[in-house]
Amino acid sequence: MRTITVAVPDEAMLHRLAPIERGTEIGGGSKNGTGTPTEIALVLWTTEDAPLDRPIDLLVLPYSVSATALPKLADSQVFVVQSQALGYDGVAEHLPAGIAYCNAVGVHEGATAELALALILSSQRGLDVAARAQPAGLWKRDWYPGLLGSSVLIVGVGGVGSAIETRLAPFDVAITRVARSARSDDHGLIHAITDLPALLPLADIVIIAVPLTGETTKMVDQTFLGKMKPRALLVNVSRGAIVDTDALTERAGAGAIRVAVDVVEPEPLPADHPLWMLPGVIITPHLGGNISSMSSRVDPLVRQQIARLRSGLSPLNIVVDRRTQP
Amino acid sequence: MRTITVAVPDEAMLHRLAPIERGTEIGGGSKNGTGTPTEIALVLWTTEDAPLDRPIDLLVLPYSVSATALPKLADSQVFVVQSQALGYDGVAEHLPAGIAYCNAVGVHEGATAELALALILSSQRGLDVAARAQPAGLWKRDWYPGLLGSSVLIVGVGGVGSAIETRLAPFDVAITRVARSARSDDHGLIHAITDLPALLPLADIVIIAVPLTGETTKMVDQTFLGKMKPRALLVNVSRGAIVDTDALTERAGAGAIRVAVDVVEPEPLPADHPLWMLPGVIITPHLGGNISSMSSRVDPLVRQQIARLRSGLSPLNIVVDRRTQP
C-alpha cells in the first residue's frame, strides 16, 4: 500500500477533507496508474510546526502566508505546495529545491473582481462619504460622477482582469484593455502596455489587475499617475507594490486623482500614514479574497490535486517548479 | 407663426436647451403637420413663481419636487408636464385637470441600478465598515459574505428591476424575479407576487424595485421581513414608503436581517432615528439618480417632447392624463 500524505494548515480544512482519508470520496485504496493501491493520510501541519518525520506529497499553505516563509520547507521533505492565493510574487526567490509550487487558479478571481466593482461603485457614487455621515444621522444629498458612461481602462487581462471586464460590461461603460503585448481576442483589441501613455489621459477609471513581477513593481509611479485625467479614479486590487505609495499619496493629496485600493505597500498601512485621511481615497484592508464561500472553491482544487497525485499525474497550476527535471 | 412655450426650472437647463430657441437644433420656424410655422419660446419658470401670463405648452419640473406642489399649476395654463423623475406616486391625486403628466423614462434606470449594485456590494463586502475604520487608520481584515454564489430575489421587473438584473447577471448569482403576475420573458420565468412567502426564505439578497402605489405601500412589513432568511440583505432603491420603517428597524435591530437602502420613510430620516446607528445597516440619502451625467439624458428627452409637440404628436411617457379627452 502506497500512502499519499497531504498536509493542511487548519482544523477546518482537515475536517472538510476528511472524507477523502476515509475513502468515501474518491475511492480510497483504489489503484493508481502503476497498479499500486494508495491511501490518503491527512495531517495538520504548517511551516510553524516542527519538521514532519515523513515526506509530504502535497502541502496546502495557509491562505495568508508570505513567500518569505517558504525557505523553512527545506527542513522537511515536501514535493508539491498548493497555495490558497493567486499571486505568487517572491516564490521563485524563496522556494527550496525539489518542490513544485501551485497557485490557486479559479478560487479568487470572482471575489477579487467583485471587490473591484465594490470599490469603483463606492467611489463613483459616494458610498464612503455616506458611510461616514451615517453615525451622525446626516442626510446630505450630493452629486457624484457615477459609473454610467465612464471610460474604463483595465490594465491586465488575466483571470482577475477578465472577471472585472465581464462584471463591468453591463454598466454602459467604454472598456479599454491593456496587456504586455497587443493582440485581439473575441472581445476585441487588447492594447500593448506601451500604449499606456496615450490611453491614460482618456480614462475616467484605471484598474490595476496585473500580477506583481519585477516589471510591474512601481509601474504606477509619478509619471503614470501624472498622465491620468484630472479627478480620474485609480483602482488597485492586485498587489500594493505595483503602485508607488509616495507618488499616490502626493497626487491624491493634491486632489489630482481619486483612489480606491484594496492593496497598498506596505501592509498593514501604518495608522498614521497620510493616505488614510485624504478625501477621495478609499482603502480596504486586502479583502479581495475574503468571502465566506472561499473554502467552497479551495476544497475542490485540493481534492483535484490529490486525485491527480494518486493517478500519477502532475499537479495543475504549477507556477514555480524546482523539482529535479527528469 | 405659432409659438410653443417651454418652461424649464433652472438657468443651466435654459442654457443647454437654448439652441432650440435659436432654431439651430431642430429647424426653427419649420412647419408642423398642419402647415403652420412654429417657433419655440423657452422661459424660466417653476410653481414657486407667479403664474405666467401665457399658456405653457410644456413645463419641465425641477428634479426634486413633490407631487403636492402640482395643485399650484391650476393657477396657470399648462398643457403638458415633463417630470425629471421616474416615480410618480401622488401625481394622480394632485394633478389639476387639463394636464398630461410625463415621467422621465430612460433617465434614471441605469443610475438607480448601479446604486443598487453599489449598496449590495458595499454590504456584502464590508465597505461601509472599512469606510468608517479609515479615518482611524485601522487595518482590520475580516470575512464577509460576498456576492458570488448568492441567491438574489428582485421584486419588480420594470425599467429599474431589469437594469439591476442585467448588471447582476455576470456576478455568478442565482436571480429570481417577481412581478405582479406570473409570466415568462426571454430571461425565463417571472414569479407572481403571491409566490413571495415561498421565495423570501430562499434569498440571500432581496431587492425592492417596484413603484410606490396603493398596493405596494408598506408591502415590506413585519410579515415580509419575518420570512427573510436570517442575516439576508434587504435593498430598497425605489420609494421609502414601500417599507414599514418601524418593522425594518425592529428586524435590523434584532440582527435578523441586514439592510441597504437609498430611500426611507420619512425623508430625510430624522438624525436621531435608531436605524442610522444599527450595525449591518447602510443608508444613502436618496442618491439613486444623482449622477453628474443626468442632464445628458434629461435634455434629449425634453428635446424629443418639444419636437413631438411641434409636429402635433402626443408627448411620450404620459403616466397621468387629465386632458379633456377629444
Side-chain angles (χ1 to χ4, degrees):
Chain A
M1 179 82 80
R2 179 173 157 249
T3 297
I4 294 179
T5 300
V6 178
V8 299
D10 56 71
E11 291 275 358
M13 188 181 290
L14 193 75
H15 285 292
R16 295 195 310 263
L17 295 177
I20 292 178
E21 190 169 37
R22 292 198 303 271
T24 56
E25 272 206 354
I26 49 174
S30 71
K31 297 190 171 188
N32 67 11
T34 64
T36 317
T38 57
E39 64 169 10
I40 308 297
L42 283 175
V43 297
L44 195 64
W45 189 80
T46 75
T47 54
E48 302 300 304
D49 301 317
L52 266 195
D53 58 355
R54 52 173 151 166
I56 301 173
D57 295 281
L58 178 68
L59 169 67
V60 181
L61 294 179
Y63 173 42
S64 294
V65 67
S66 161
T68 55
L70 293 173
K72 292 185 193 164
L73 295 180
D75 302 333
S76 298
Q77 194 180 5
V78 176
F79 298 110
V80 177
V81 166
Q82 175 63 58
S83 162
Q84 295 187 61
L86 191 58
Y88 52 97
D89 42 286
V91 171
E93 294 81 346
H94 293 105
L95 190 70
I99 303 179
Y101 184 101
C102 308
N103 69 340
V105 172
V107 173
H108 301 293
E109 290 85 341
T112 305
E114 71 176 47
L115 191 74
L117 269 286
L119 288 169
I120 292 167
L121 287 167
S122 276
S123 179
Q124 297 299 109
R125 301 302 302 254
L127 264 70
D128 56 328
V129 176
R132 283 192 285 270
Q134 195 173 319
L138 205 61
W139 184 272
K140 188 172 173 302
R141 297 189 74 189
D142 235 324
W143 289 78
Y144 290 95
L147 176 53
L148 183 59
S150 300
S151 295
V152 185
L153 184 64
I154 306 178
V155 185
V157 297
V160 173
S162 302
I164 292 172
E165 187 205 351
T166 309
R167 284 158 179 76
L168 266 176
F171 281 88
D172 281 333
V173 290
I175 299 176
T176 305
R177 296 174 301 156
V178 171
R180 195 179 297 158
S181 52
R183 57 188 183 272
S184 284
D185 65 9
D186 51 5
H187 294 202
L189 178 71
I190 300 171
H191 292 266
I193 195 103
T194 48
D195 289 344
L196 267 183
L199 295 172
L200 283 170
L202 308 175
D204 300 304
I205 299 169
V206 178
I207 306 171
I208 304 302
V210 289
L212 177 62
T213 64
E215 273 179 290
T216 63
T217 300
K218 294 209 181 179
M219 178 184 84
V220 181
D221 56 8
Q222 193 82 38
T223 307
F224 183 114
L225 296 171
K227 290 200 183 297
M228 283 174 63
K229 189 188 272 197
R231 304 297 298 156
L233 176 68
L234 183 86
V235 179
N236 187 8
V237 290
S238 179
R239 286 288 182 266
I242 297 167
V243 178
D244 179 334
T245 304
D246 290 343
L248 188 73
T249 307
E250 190 276 314
R251 298 302 295 169
I257 58 165
R258 294 173 299 121
V259 171
V261 292
D262 184 47
V263 291
V264 63
E265 177 68 26
E267 286 177 15
L269 188 67
D272 60 354
H273 195 286
L275 193 62
W276 283 116
M277 295 296 296
L278 294 175
V281 172
I282 298 178
I283 302 172
T284 51
H286 205 145
L287 299 176
N290 285 29
I291 64 175
S292 341
S293 59
M294 187 185 116
S295 61
S296 74
R297 289 176 295 278
V298 167
D299 296 355
L301 180 60
V302 173
R303 287 192 183 93
Q304 194 177 13
Q305 299 288 43
I306 294 170
R308 291 181 70 90
L309 292 182
R310 91 190 299 166
S311 303
L313 298 171
S314 187
L316 295 171
N317 311 326
I318 297 177
V319 286
V320 178
D321 195 349
R322 303 211 55 206
R323 296 176 299 184
T324 311
Q325 298 308 313
Chain B
M1 178 83 79
R2 179 175 156 246
T3 298
I4 295 178
T5 300
V6 178
V8 299
D10 56 71
E11 290 275 357
M13 187 180 289
L14 192 74
H15 285 294
R16 296 195 310 266
L17 295 178
I20 292 179
E21 190 168 39
R22 293 198 302 269
T24 56
E25 272 203 352
I26 49 175
S30 71
K31 297 189 173 190
N32 67 10
T34 64
T36 317
T38 58
E39 64 171 8
I40 308 297
L42 283 175
V43 297
L44 195 64
W45 189 80
T46 74
T47 54
E48 301 301 303
D49 300 317
L52 263 195
D53 56 357
R54 51 173 152 168
I56 301 174
D57 296 280
L58 178 68
L59 169 67
V60 182
L61 294 178
Y63 173 41
S64 296
V65 68
S66 162
T68 55
L70 293 174
K72 292 185 194 166
L73 295 180
D75 303 332
S76 298
Q77 194 181 2
V78 176
F79 297 110
V80 178
V81 165
Q82 175 64 57
S83 163
Q84 294 187 61
L86 192 58
Y88 52 94
D89 42 285
V91 172
E93 294 82 346
H94 293 103
L95 190 69
I99 303 177
Y101 184 101
C102 309
N103 69 341
V105 171
V107 172
H108 301 293
E109 291 84 342
T112 305
E114 71 176 48
L115 190 75
L117 269 287
L119 288 168
I120 292 167
L121 287 166
S122 274
S123 179
Q124 298 298 110
R125 302 302 301 257
L127 263 71
D128 56 328
V129 176
R132 282 192 285 269
Q134 195 172 318
L138 204 61
W139 185 272
K140 187 169 174 302
R141 297 189 75 189
D142 237 322
W143 290 78
Y144 290 95
L147 177 53
L148 184 58
S150 299
S151 294
V152 184
L153 184 64
I154 306 178
V155 185
V157 297
V160 173
S162 302
I164 293 172
E165 185 205 354
T166 309
R167 283 158 180 76
L168 266 176
F171 280 88
D172 282 333
V173 289
I175 298 175
T176 305
R177 296 174 300 157
V178 171
R180 193 179 299 159
S181 53
R183 56 186 184 271
S184 284
D185 63 9
D186 50 5
H187 295 203
L189 179 70
I190 300 170
H191 292 265
I193 196 101
T194 48
D195 289 346
L196 268 182
L199 295 172
L200 283 170
L202 309 174
D204 300 304
I205 299 168
V206 178
I207 306 171
I208 303 303
V210 288
L212 176 62
T213 64
E215 273 178 290
T216 63
T217 299
K218 294 208 181 181
M219 177 184 85
V220 180
D221 57 8
Q222 193 82 36
T223 308
F224 182 114
L225 296 170
K227 291 201 181 297
M228 284 175 63
K229 189 189 272 197
R231 305 295 298 153
L233 177 67
L234 182 86
V235 179
N236 187 6
V237 290
S238 180
R239 285 288 182 267
I242 297 168
V243 179
D244 178 335
T245 304
D246 290 344
L248 188 73
T249 306
E250 190 278 315
R251 298 302 295 168
I257 59 164
R258 294 173 300 121
V259 171
V261 292
D262 184 47
V263 289
V264 65
E265 178 68 28
E267 288 178 16
L269 190 66
D272 60 354
H273 196 284
L275 192 63
W276 284 113
M277 296 295 297
L278 294 176
V281 172
I282 298 179
I283 302 171
T284 52
H286 205 143
L287 299 176
N290 285 28
I291 66 176
S292 342
S293 60
M294 187 186 117
S295 61
S296 74
R297 289 177 295 280
V298 167
D299 295 356
L301 179 60
V302 174
R303 285 192 186 92
Q304 196 177 13
Q305 300 287 44
I306 294 171
R308 292 181 69 89
L309 292 184
R310 92 190 299 164
S311 302
L313 297 171
S314 188
L316 296 171
N317 310 326
I318 297 177
V319 287
V320 178
D321 195 348
R322 304 211 55 207
R323 296 177 298 184
T324 310
Q325 298 307 313

